Amino acid sequence: MAGVHEKNNVAASAAEDNLAGSSRSGGPLRSENSYRWNPRDEPLVHEPAARQPPVLTYPPPTPDPRLFNPQQMRFLFQKKLQNSDVKANGRIVVPKREAESHFPVLVSKERGLWLHLDDMDYMQVWTVRFRFWPNERSRMYILDHTSEPKL
DNA sequence: GGGTCATGCATTTGT
DNA sequence: CAAATGCATGACCCT
């Protein structure tokens, strides 16, 4: 993922044929953790509630880049990429707190969610899969399929 | 001490 | 054989 670094502005939208069906309906989902819900944490892109999507094991077609008005964007979080995020693994670890506050809700480890990430610095769309692994009694969230496609 | 996460590694899948 | 995948482990925070 050569073009993505910690300062990039990236906007995410659920892949159209792989809807989350789980847009937040306001308010925190987990009251037991310390994250304090802010109304401005509502997702930027609201998808209509939908049927259970099929589990896609292959990436859906990547849409063309879109133009965004920076005035209408808001900062969510940043992460300094680690070695293991940019090595050949093709995965990027998403911090749990951010994953659970800003990303769509994942219902099971088998049901990942394909996301189109708009790289606004390079006008490029990255199609990656958001999913998690069970880890201890918790979850470890990752984006995978993050490697450059082989030519 | 418990939770998170960077990373290693074994297994599975693809070429 | 290479790449992708699934999971485990240990270091490193916080509280």
Side-chain angles (χ1 to χ4, degrees):
Chain A
M1 254 182 113
V4 174
H5 55 88
E6 60 176 311
K7 287 201 276 190
N8 272 15
N9 300 309
V10 177
S13 60
E16 53 193 319
D17 51 354
N18 195 14
L19 299 178
S22 57
S23 299
R24 282 197 174 71
S25 51
L29 295 176
R30 318 175 68 94
S31 55
E32 71 272 20
N33 67 21
S34 61
Y35 175 73
R36 295 182 65 84
W37 180 264
N38 182 321
R40 295 179 63 83
D41 288 342
E42 278 294 315
L44 285 171
V45 179
H46 289 267
E47 300 288 354
R51 61 212 146 67
Q52 275 285 52
V55 177
L56 288 184
T57 57
Y58 53 89
T62 298
D64 291 333
R66 301 177 287 174
L67 272 177
F68 291 87
N69 179 358
Q71 306 274 10
Q72 297 181 332
M73 308 300 288
R74 61 194 160 83
F75 177 83
L76 292 181
F77 71 96
Q78 68 180 35
K79 178 195 172 177
K80 178 180 179 182
L81 294 180
Q82 304 301 313
N83 286 335
S84 57
D85 290 324
V86 293
K87 280 179 179 169
N89 302 343
R91 340 162 135 150
I92 295 176
V93 174
V94 182
K96 183 172 178 253
R97 169 177 292 245
E98 278 71 20
E100 294 187 346
S101 56
H102 302 308
F103 282 68
V105 174
L106 298 176
V107 296
S108 72
K109 73 182 175 70
E110 292 81 15
R111 190 171 285 273
L113 184 67
W114 287 98
L115 301 176
H116 300 305
L117 304 183
D118 290 90
D119 185 332
M120 296 161 66
D121 290 341
Y122 290 86
M123 278 301 285
Q124 178 171 350
V125 180
W126 301 89
T127 298
V128 302
R129 189 170 54 190
F130 176 56
R131 52 196 297 269
F132 71 88
W133 302 322
N135 192 270
E136 296 295 327
R137 292 167 195 80
S138 182
R139 291 177 169 189
M140 189 162 158
Y141 291 91
I142 60 161
L143 301 172
D144 67 15
H145 279 248
T146 59
S147 294
E148 294 269 15
K150 309 273 182 301
L151 297 181

